Amino acid sequence: LAVIGKGSLAASFNCAYIFTGELFPTVIRQTGMGLGGTMARVGSMVAPLVRMAADVTPALPLLIYGAAPIISAIATCLLPETR
């Protein structure tokens, strides 16, 4: 089961990486891919800190993890490609 999970994770990462490269225009593709990779690393560094925010208020991590995708979905709706 662990090997199937690890393989599925690797396959989904490869699909996401290829799809992300197709989202950006050729002129800014490398900048966009670099920014995306950087933000992914920042997110992995901040995730434990968000989890520690449960010491302040137990619902705070749930609020943060729930608000982030909603805000990004709203921002995606404002892109010219999705109008």
Side-chain angles (χ1 to χ4, degrees):
L1 188 59
V3 172
I4 292 171
K6 182 77 171 170
S8 299
L9 182 65
S12 66
F13 177 75
N14 287 334
C15 291
Y17 188 76
I18 291 169
F19 181 72
T20 304
E22 295 298 324
L23 287 176
F24 296 110
T26 306
V27 179
I28 60 166
R29 184 169 293 148
Q30 292 301 319
T31 304
M33 293 294 289
L35 182 64
T38 301
M39 290 299 113
R41 291 178 191 268
V42 168
S44 66
M45 288 185 283
V46 172
L49 299 174
V50 172
R51 177 69 178 110
M52 288 180 0
D55 295 340
V56 176
T57 304
L60 191 58
L62 298 174
L63 182 68
I64 293 171
Y65 287 139
I70 292 171
I71 292 170
S72 65
I74 291 170
T76 302
C77 290
L78 299 175
L79 291 172
E81 292 87 7
T82 56
R83 288 191 184 161

